[in-house]
Amino acid sequence: MELDALKTLWKEQQEAVQEEIKPIEAAQLLALLRQRSHSVVAKIKRNLLGEVILSLAIGVLFLAFIPSLSNTTLQITLTSFIVFFCSATSMVYLYFWRWIKSNYDLSDNLRAATQRLIFCMERAIKISLYCNMVLIPLGTTLGGLYGYALGGKPIDLYSNVSFTVTMVLILLFSILMAYPLHRLYINKLYRKHLKHLKAVLEEMN
Amino acid sequence: MRSEQEFLQKLNEVQGILWKICHLYCPEAVDKQDLFQEILVQLWRAYPKFRGEAKFSTWVYRIGLNVAISFLRKEKRKPSLVDLPKEVYEMAAPEVDEEKEERKKLLYWAIRQLKTIEKAIVLLYLEEKSYEEIAQIVGITQNNLRVRISRIKEKLRKLMLQPIDS
């Protein structure tokens, strides 16, 4: 059967279906708008928001422990440090959120929209990588530092050798762990999808 | 921003397009319903930017196909709670002769075997869109499109000659 012959068959089928279709009401549309979107862009935005909330929650948790530290200088240093990193992370995510909103256009042709979507996903992965590579080691080391301080042990990088060694080991371990953890997270979120989109783009090329 | 009523009026005129896209890209009823809803939502969100430079139906095809291509299909997902009329996402089965019905099933089955972009091209082709319009929607040259259509024809011909079970 030739493709042109299928046009008649297609037309007949569509005419039959068209008669069955009922108009969509305003109330149905409003109900739909309240539903969670399954689009990949919505997923990227949700994940970014989740990461911001998690970073801020960890930041707040660390800040909550600050008063229990005995050293005032340490309190001030850590507070500034945490506030700086929380703000920087939020700014990066917020910037990307706005960027993705203004850059992704579904009314583009299929090739352009797919290219842009791949670009958006790859950029989201990069941003997530940079943030995780900084935040995971920092958070872990800070946690170690807190544990040390709350245990009543003196915090002095220069005179307390065991403290210095422990901190360096925690930092190294968390740096080593950050990348595989990030890969695991990204693979779970986007790998299948990115692969599919790249295959589609390749098909178009 | 233009009104909701205006959007719905225009949308209802071309609602069949959404159904066709969903039917080709999602064989499962749950996915089909989700895709239908997703396209509707994205159309509504994009509508303020619609300037009427292209035909409304062309614009709907672009958004619908873009959403279908990037749509996330999950292995197990609960059906959505919004109750749309089932006719908009379920294939209607009007009473016709068996031979025709078989041919229709075979046609859908064969189109579903095609690659993602091939499905889009064949849909637009069967909708009797011009080569220029198809090329614009997909984002390829007309020459490239001609080559692809000839390949798709060959592919479909082969597919429709073999039994579905194989």
Side-chain angles (χ1 to χ4, degrees), chain A residues 46-112:
Chain A
R46 270 198 301 270
N47 293 336
L48 289 177
L49 186 68
E51 285 177 35
V52 174
I53 292 170
L54 186 69
S55 321
L56 290 177
I58 292 172
V60 169
L61 196 73
F62 279 141
L63 283 175
F65 278 102
I66 294 270
S68 55
L69 299 172
S70 50
N71 190 326
T72 319
T73 318
L74 189 66
Q75 282 182 345
I76 296 166
T77 314
L78 284 180
T79 306
S80 329
F81 191 72
I82 293 164
V83 169
F84 170 76
F85 273 98
C86 282
S87 319
T89 313
S90 308
M91 294 292 279
V92 170
Y93 282 125
L94 187 70
Y95 167 76
F96 185 62
W97 175 291
R98 289 174 65 93
W99 179 85
I100 207 170
K101 207 175 167 187
S102 59
N103 272 274
Y104 185 57
D105 187 3
L106 278 166
S107 59
D108 264 341
N109 63 54
L110 305 190
R111 180 203 287 270

Side-chain angles (χ1 to χ4, degrees), chain A residues 2 6 11 21 48-49 69 73 89 98-99 104 107 111 115 126-127 135-138 163 171 182 184 192 194 204:
Chain A
E2 282 297 319
L6 295 177
K11 217 173 177 182
I21 290 174
L48 289 177
L49 186 68
L69 299 172
T73 318
T89 313
R98 289 174 65 93
W99 179 85
Y104 185 57
S107 59
R111 180 203 287 270
Q115 273 172 337
K126 254 185 203 166
I127 287 180
L135 293 177
I136 293 176
L138 277 179
F163 167 73
L171 187 65
H182 165 82
L184 205 72
K192 197 176 153 192
L194 196 56
M204 277 189 266

Side-chain angles (χ1 to χ4, degrees), chain A residues 4 10 35 37-38 106 193, chain B residues 12 38 66 72 80 125 127 139:
Chain A
D4 295 300
W10 180 262
Q35 293 271 305
S37 171
H38 297 298
L106 278 166
H193 213 92
Chain B
N12 283 325
E38 188 63 45
N66 270 324
L72 285 173
S80 173
Y125 183 81
E127 285 292 299

